[in-house]
């Protein structure tokens, strides 16, 4: 039994080893000399969007899903007057992005992609104790957050690793910045479930959602950036630069 398991693991390692070209079957490439290079990249991204959402690139390689995304914990702590834990967080809708702009710097192996996500729904549990508009808000319960027209700006850079005369691609950690033009929160069980105080607090938060969003945004950026980095590398694992960006 151990022998069979070792054989399977060896085959998996060899299949994804950098020495073997494993460009995802669903991925088409763009010539670096294409005068419409940015348009070509945009078309490729749209073409594989469902594959990215499902984490399925056609060859069984392990890959994270973009939609939905799940996080066990997002922790925001600003001292005794502000702490917020978001637990068992599920984010849906990120795969419905629209690309607004792609800027490339091929000599430096860099890309900047700006997208707009029409609707994202975020659900989970929360544990909160903070000052909002001179009011101490506390509670533990369920939360729902709807984000509309979220702007996501991704800075991507890849490196090449020489091995056996080949140059293999790997993306550096993605830098992600988010902007939330429209947002609506709903938190249950605020103030121990007091319906009047809970309604008042939800209304106060939604009259100026940036008060809360400015605090949670770094946690969202950090966690989503990690997913985007993993997704990017899962697409190109084992592929050479000359395969991805031929002349």
């Amino acid at each position: 039994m151990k022998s069979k398991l070792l054989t399977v693991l060896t085959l998996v390692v060899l299949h994804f080893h950098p020495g073997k070209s494993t460009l995802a079957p669903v991925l088409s490439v763009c010539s670096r000399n294409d005068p419409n290079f940015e348009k070509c990249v945009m078309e490729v991204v749209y073409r594989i969007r469902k594959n990215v959402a499902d984490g399925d690139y056609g060859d069984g390689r392990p890959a994270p899903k973009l939609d939905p995304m799940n996080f066990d914990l997002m922790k925001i702590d600003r001292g005794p007057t502000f702490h917020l834990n978001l637990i068992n967080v599920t984010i849906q809708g990120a795969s419905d992005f629209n690309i607004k702009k792609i800027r490339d710097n091929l000599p430096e192996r860099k890309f900047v992609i700006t997208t707009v996500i029409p609707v994202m729904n975020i659900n989970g549990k929360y544990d909160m104790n903070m000052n909002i508009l001179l009011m101490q808000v506390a509670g533990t319960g369920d939360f729902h957050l709807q984000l509309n027209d979220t702007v996501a700006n991704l800075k991507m850079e890849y490196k090449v690793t020489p091995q056996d005369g080949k140059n293999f691609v790997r993306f550096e950690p993605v830098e992600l910045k988010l902007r939330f033009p429209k947002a609506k929160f709903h938190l249950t069980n605020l103030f121990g479930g007091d319906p009047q105080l809970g309604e008042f607090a939800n209304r106060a938060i939604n009259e100026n959602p940036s008060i809360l969003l400015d605090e949670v945004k770094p946690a969202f950026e950090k966690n989503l950036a990690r997913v985007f980095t993993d997704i990017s590398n899962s697409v190109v694992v084992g592929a050479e630069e000359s395969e991805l960006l031929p002349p």
Side-chain angles (χ1 to χ4, degrees):
M1 183 67 181
K2 289 183 179 180
S3 177
K4 289 182 179 180
L5 178 60
L6 181 60
T7 301
V8 171
L9 291 174
T10 302
L11 289 173
V12 170
V13 170
L14 288 174
H15 183 65
F16 293 109
H17 190 276
K20 177 179 174 60
S21 172
T22 54
L23 188 64
V26 299
L27 188 65
S28 55
V29 298
C30 298
S31 168
R32 62 172 58 244
N33 296 320
D34 187 340
N36 296 309
F37 177 80
E38 293 173 358
K39 180 181 178 182
C40 177
V41 172
M42 190 178 299
E43 290 174 348
V44 170
V45 173
Y46 278 131
R47 193 177 304 124
I48 68 171
R49 179 162 57 179
K50 188 178 187 309
N51 300 93
V52 173
D54 297 339
D56 180 5
Y57 302 116
D59 58 2
R61 70 180 64 199
K65 291 184 178 182
L66 177 60
D67 208 349
M69 286 182 279
N70 299 291
F71 302 100
D72 293 333
L73 175 66
M74 294 186 185
K75 188 178 181 68
I76 302 102
D77 198 337
R78 302 282 185 270
T81 61
F82 191 110
H83 86 259
L84 172 64
N85 293 329
L86 301 180
I87 306 152
N88 296 331
V89 179
T90 299
I91 302 176
Q92 294 179 300
S95 64
D96 292 329
F97 59 83
N98 296 310
I99 302 173
K100 295 301 179 182
K101 186 186 296 184
I102 295 178
R103 289 176 291 163
D104 68 89
N105 184 339
L106 292 180
E108 295 188 14
R109 302 185 172 109
K110 295 179 180 179
F111 298 86
V112 177
I113 303 175
T114 301
T115 70
V116 174
I117 305 169
V119 181
M120 280 198 296
N121 286 295
I122 304 170
N123 295 284
K125 303 283 186 180
Y126 79 92
D127 176 25
M128 176 172 67
N129 190 341
M130 66 180 68
N131 287 318
I132 298 178
L133 299 175
L134 304 179
M135 176 176 60
Q136 189 69 20
V137 179
T140 301
D142 299 324
F143 82 91
H144 173 73
L145 169 60
Q146 180 173 306
L147 298 169
N148 295 88
D149 301 327
T150 300
V151 179
N153 198 62
L154 298 91
K155 293 183 179 180
M156 306 177 69
E157 179 180 359
Y158 71 89
K159 302 291 187 184
V160 294
T161 302
Q163 183 176 325
D164 299 328
K166 298 179 179 181
N167 291 313
F168 298 103
V169 171
R170 183 166 183 82
F171 280 96
E172 298 287 282
V174 171
E175 294 181 27
L176 174 66
K177 293 297 180 183
L178 297 171
R179 184 162 57 85
F180 306 125
K182 301 176 186 176
K184 186 175 182 180
F185 284 93
H186 181 71
L187 298 95
T188 68
N189 204 44
L190 288 167
F191 300 103
D194 185 298
Q196 291 184 326
L197 287 176
E199 182 182 351
F200 177 78
N202 273 292
R203 187 166 61 247
I205 291 170
N206 285 310
E207 285 175 355
N208 192 356
S210 61
I211 292 174
L212 192 50
L213 281 173
D214 287 348
E215 299 295 340
V216 302
K217 185 169 69 169
F220 277 99
E221 290 174 337
K222 177 182 177 181
N223 284 276
L224 268 66
R226 187 179 71 247
V227 173
F228 291 143
T229 303
D230 291 344
I231 288 173
S232 300
N233 280 316
S234 68
V235 176
V236 303
V237 62
E240 290 187 75
E241 185 179 32
S242 59
E243 288 181 286
L244 291 170
L245 298 169

